[in-house]
Amino acid sequence: MATYDYDLSSGQSSVKVALGERLCEGTLLRGMLVHSAGNYAAMLIEMMGMSASTFVTMMNGDARSLGLRQTHYVDFTGISPGDVSTAQDQSVVAVNLMTNEPIVRDIVALANVKLPVAGLVESYTPFEGQYGVIGVKSGFTTPAGGCDAMAIRITLNNAVITTYAVVLGVHGADAINRAGQMALVLAQSIRAELKAAPLSVSGPAVEWIGWPGYLTTTPATATTSSTSTTSSTTTTTGP
């Protein structure tokens, strides 16, 4: 309750809780990933039996293992100005989570979720459930501006793939939604530049036709019931 009261008074994103309320891990994940509940994140860490500092150390260890050389975390919510990253690094995080953590992929695709006490809360991810958008996550702080990591599912011939676009640093009014609009334009712009090419092995490849530095060829399943992942296109705006 103290964490919720603090988040509320300091303008941080949170979900309403009540004294004596019981919350399971799945509920905490849904509140955190769909509605950016920082207080739910704190409870998840407590459920794991860790201190916040230990968890942040693990986050930075994971960043190093993923090769995120321009990323450093100082807290577990991203609220501090000391948290730094790039659009390219955050695209790697998004692809890794969506590929390797099915529970994350299922949750971030939700446009809303019903939570105890708080009731029905909406996703902060722009265009969730529209234009093929299936996540991933948006956020805002005054130093960072509006940020959005967007995943969009498309069908290319018989292959279902997921493309990713990340926009950071959008300042001014309606910053999160404007970041989402930019990410959507980026994601849609690459659709016309993709083609399926036959391989000697099973299934087609998804290939980028434009400048090869942006995207790389990656295998994709030949059925619409499965999902494979392309590389991502990213951009930053502002300083």
Side-chain angles (χ1 to χ4, degrees):
M1 286 301 299
T3 301
Y4 169 68
D5 290 340
Y6 173 78
D7 287 352
L8 200 62
S9 65
S10 59
Q12 298 186 44
S13 182
S14 59
V15 163
K16 186 177 181 180
V17 292
L19 194 63
E21 178 185 0
R22 295 174 64 87
L23 295 163
C24 68
E25 182 181 10
T27 299
L28 292 173
L29 284 170
R30 288 190 292 274
M32 182 184 72
L33 293 171
V34 173
H35 202 64
S36 296
N39 58 325
Y40 271 29
M43 285 186 278
L44 273 169
I45 294 173
E46 184 178 350
M47 183 179 286
M48 295 172 65
M50 291 186 181
S51 67
S53 60
T54 299
F55 190 81
V56 172
T57 298
M58 288 183 61
M59 290 170 63
N60 284 309
D62 285 345
R64 288 191 296 272
S65 69
L66 289 170
L68 311 184
R69 298 187 178 183
Q70 300 183 78
T71 295
H72 181 70
Y73 303 109
V74 299
D75 64 49
F76 57 85
T77 63
I79 200 71
S80 170
D83 295 297
V84 294
S85 190
T86 63
Q88 180 62 43
D89 277 6
Q90 288 305 297
S91 72
V92 173
V93 174
V95 171
N96 183 272
L97 285 171
M98 295 285 279
T99 304
N100 299 323
E101 302 292 346
I103 188 172
V104 171
R105 192 180 186 98
D106 289 344
I107 291 173
V108 297
L110 299 172
N112 54 64
V113 62
K114 189 173 183 179
L115 301 173
V117 181
L120 192 69
V121 297
E122 304 294 326
S123 172
Y124 284 129
T125 300
F127 303 109
E128 186 64 73
Q130 306 174 58
Y131 309 109
V133 175
I134 55 170
V136 177
K137 189 74 178 62
S138 64
F140 174 84
T141 65
T142 299
C147 306
D148 187 35
M150 180 176 287
I152 295 186
R153 242 179 119 175
I154 65 171
T155 300
L156 190 65
N157 293 356
N158 290 324
V160 178
I161 64 171
T162 303
T163 58
Y164 295 86
V166 177
V167 175
L168 308 179
V170 177
H171 296 274
D174 202 23
I176 289 180
N177 285 330
R178 285 170 49 228
Q181 289 167 359
M182 293 177 188
L184 183 63
V185 169
L186 275 174
Q188 291 178 334
S189 71
I190 69 171
R191 174 62 180 87
E193 303 298 330
L194 295 173
K195 69 177 182 179
L199 293 178
S200 57
V201 296
S202 175
V206 176
E207 186 174 80
W208 171 252
I209 302 172
W211 182 60
Y214 285 129
L215 290 177
T216 57
T217 302
T218 183
T221 1
T223 62
T224 55
S225 60
S226 301
T227 302
S228 295
T229 305
T230 70
S231 301
S232 61
T233 182
T234 59
T235 189
T236 56
T237 63

